[in-house]
């Protein structure tokens, strides 16, 4: 299987060499890696160039977006700057972050997972963060969810969901739409990935309402938004986030922001969410 990887990178000089080193040392090498230097002002570019000069399957492009680290749109817009430079001769397309260290058999194992079940549309391991010298699971989501930092898609699934949405919540919408198109999501606990920069550490304060806006744009409705907001605030151990998320939901509703999914997709998403909620309760 041909694996293509796109890595958006903004001011990642502390981490990106470790990420790339772990990928160029894989037991199954990717066919192509494109690193998108997204308006970095540090030494990110020269580090990418060193790898691009040494490995013929690593390439580097530059793009200029806002310097604000806003969740969702910035990273996906950068992803597509890299994606559009690729041909279509891939079996698996990956969107990876630039602050990860992958186990050396990571790509080999995700290929095995894709080959094992033809209806597996997405595969991923789990992110771990360092805490007092120990690597612990970054427990922000359910174990059936693949973190946005390490997404891998079968080509047919990626095409069915029409790619990634340039908005907050893209890494939930992709899985919901994959299931809408009858693809399965596979997570593998035997694939621990070191996450060197915990999620959200550098987000711009202006992003605080984005999660609630995303819930609205995914057509969750109020009650699912309420439950999802409470759960996320508890997981992040930030009670005030709950009020930010609910406020964001009503801001988006008042502004009549555009939806990210169709009515039929929204109906499926709400049904699936309620089913999962009931399963956990009973």
């Amino acid at each position: 299987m041909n694996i293509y990887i796109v890595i958006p990178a903004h001011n990642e000089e502390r981490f990106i060499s470790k990420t790339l080193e772990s990928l160029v040392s894989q037991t199954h090498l990717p066919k192509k890696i494109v690193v998108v230097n997204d308006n970095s002002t540090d030494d990110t570019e020269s580090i990418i160039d060193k790898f691009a000069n040494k490995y013929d399957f690593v390439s580097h492009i530059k793009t200029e977006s806002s310097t604000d680290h806003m969740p969702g749109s910035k990273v996906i817009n950068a992803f597509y700057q890299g994606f559009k430079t690729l041909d279509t001769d891939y079996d698996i397309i990956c969107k990876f972050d630039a602050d990860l260290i992958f186990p050396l058999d990571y790509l080999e194992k995700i290929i095995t997972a894709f080959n094992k079940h033809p209806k597996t549309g997405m595969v991923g391991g789990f992110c771990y963060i360092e805490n007092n010298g120990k690597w612990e699971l970054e427990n922000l989501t359910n174990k059936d969810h693949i973190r946005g930092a390490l997404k891998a898609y079968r080509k047919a699934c990626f095409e069915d969901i029409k790619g990634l949405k340039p908005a907050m919540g893209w890494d939930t919408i992709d899985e919901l739409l994959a299931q809408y198109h009858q693809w399965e999501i596979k997570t593998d606990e035997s694939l621990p990935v070191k996450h060197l920069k915990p999620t959200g550490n550098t987000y711009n304060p202006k992003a605080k309402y984005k999660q609630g806006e995303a819930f609205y744009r995914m057509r969750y409705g109020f009650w699912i938004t309420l439950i999802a907001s409470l759960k996320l605030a508890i997981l992040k151990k930030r009670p005030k986030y709950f009020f930010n998320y609910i406020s964001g939901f009503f801001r988006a509703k008042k502004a009549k922001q555009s939806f990210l999914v169709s009515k039929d997709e929204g109906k499926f998403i709400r049904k699936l969410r309620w089913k999962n909620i009931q399963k956990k309760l009973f």
Side-chain angles (χ1 to χ4, degrees):
M1 279 188 157
N2 288 342
I3 299 180
Y4 288 5
I5 300 171
V6 181
I7 305 176
H10 172 70
N11 288 346
E12 299 285 3
E13 65 177 2
R14 291 188 296 157
F15 311 117
I16 194 165
S17 63
K18 295 178 180 178
T19 299
L20 291 173
E21 190 60 45
S22 72
L23 290 173
V24 301
S25 303
Q26 290 288 307
T27 54
H28 181 105
L29 288 175
K31 192 77 171 179
K32 295 184 180 181
I33 299 175
V34 180
V35 188
V36 182
N37 177 19
D38 185 11
N39 207 28
S40 295
T41 56
D42 61 3
D43 203 32
T44 296
E45 182 175 357
S46 64
I47 295 170
I48 300 169
D49 283 340
K50 289 177 183 177
F51 281 87
N53 291 333
K54 186 175 181 180
Y55 300 96
D56 60 5
F57 58 92
V58 178
S59 62
H60 170 212
I61 67 167
K62 293 175 65 175
T63 186
E64 294 187 5
S65 66
S66 167
T67 56
D68 290 343
H69 191 185
M70 300 292 283
S73 58
K74 178 179 172 67
V75 69
I76 298 306
N77 287 332
F79 167 85
Y80 272 111
Q81 290 299 313
F83 181 76
K84 71 182 183 182
T85 69
L86 297 170
D87 56 50
T88 59
D89 189 27
Y90 64 88
D91 301 295
I92 301 169
I93 182 71
C94 302
K95 177 266 168 200
F96 289 162
D97 280 3
D99 59 351
L100 306 172
I101 300 177
F102 293 89
L104 299 186
D105 61 351
Y106 189 88
L107 298 183
E108 181 180 349
K109 283 192 173 181
I110 68 169
I111 285 176
T112 299
F114 278 116
N115 283 333
K116 191 172 182 179
H117 298 291
K119 285 305 294 180
T120 295
M122 300 171 58
V123 179
F126 288 90
C127 289
Y128 285 74
I129 56 173
E130 191 173 17
N131 185 14
N132 295 323
K134 295 182 179 180
W135 289 93
E136 301 175 349
L137 180 67
E138 191 175 17
N139 189 24
L140 294 177
T141 60
N142 296 332
K143 288 191 174 182
D144 58 355
H145 172 68
I146 301 170
R147 298 291 302 281
L150 35 70
K151 295 284 192 175
Y153 307 85
R154 189 189 295 271
K155 183 179 183 179
C157 176
F158 189 76
E159 292 175 343
D160 276 349
I161 67 174
K162 296 181 173 58
L164 309 181
K165 308 288 187 184
M168 179 73 169
W170 69 268
D171 56 337
T172 297
I173 297 171
D174 60 349
E175 295 185 6
L176 295 170
L177 292 181
Q179 292 171 88
Y180 176 79
H181 289 283
Q182 300 183 322
W183 292 102
E184 297 174 3
I185 315 300
K186 171 68 176 176
T187 57
D188 189 341
E189 292 189 68
S190 74
L191 290 174
V193 177
K194 293 179 178 179
H195 196 186
L196 303 176
K197 186 175 62 183
T199 301
N201 267 16
T202 60
Y203 282 165
N204 189 292
K206 291 184 291 186
K208 65 181 182 178
Y209 300 118
K210 291 292 184 181
Q211 185 66 68
E213 292 174 3
F215 291 151
Y216 172 80
R217 300 184 71 196
M218 287 190 279
R219 296 184 185 266
Y220 271 19
F222 173 72
W223 292 109
I224 295 177
T225 294
L226 185 75
I227 294 168
S229 298
L230 182 61
K231 176 185 173 183
L232 194 54
I234 291 171
L235 284 172
K236 291 186 176 183
K237 299 178 181 178
R238 299 287 182 88
K240 67 178 182 179
Y241 283 12
F242 170 77
F243 300 101
N244 291 339
Y245 300 154
I246 296 299
S247 179
F249 174 86
F250 282 109
R251 283 168 175 253
K253 186 174 183 179
K254 183 177 181 180
K256 296 183 180 179
Q257 290 189 14
S258 61
F259 292 111
L260 297 169
V261 297
S262 69
K263 286 185 178 180
D264 285 344
E265 289 166 344
K267 184 177 179 180
F268 171 85
I269 287 169
R270 290 190 299 276
K271 184 177 179 180
L272 181 64
R273 281 298 191 222
W274 281 121
K275 181 181 177 180
N276 290 337
I277 289 168
Q278 290 169 352
K279 187 188 298 183
K280 287 167 187 172
L281 287 176
F282 305 109

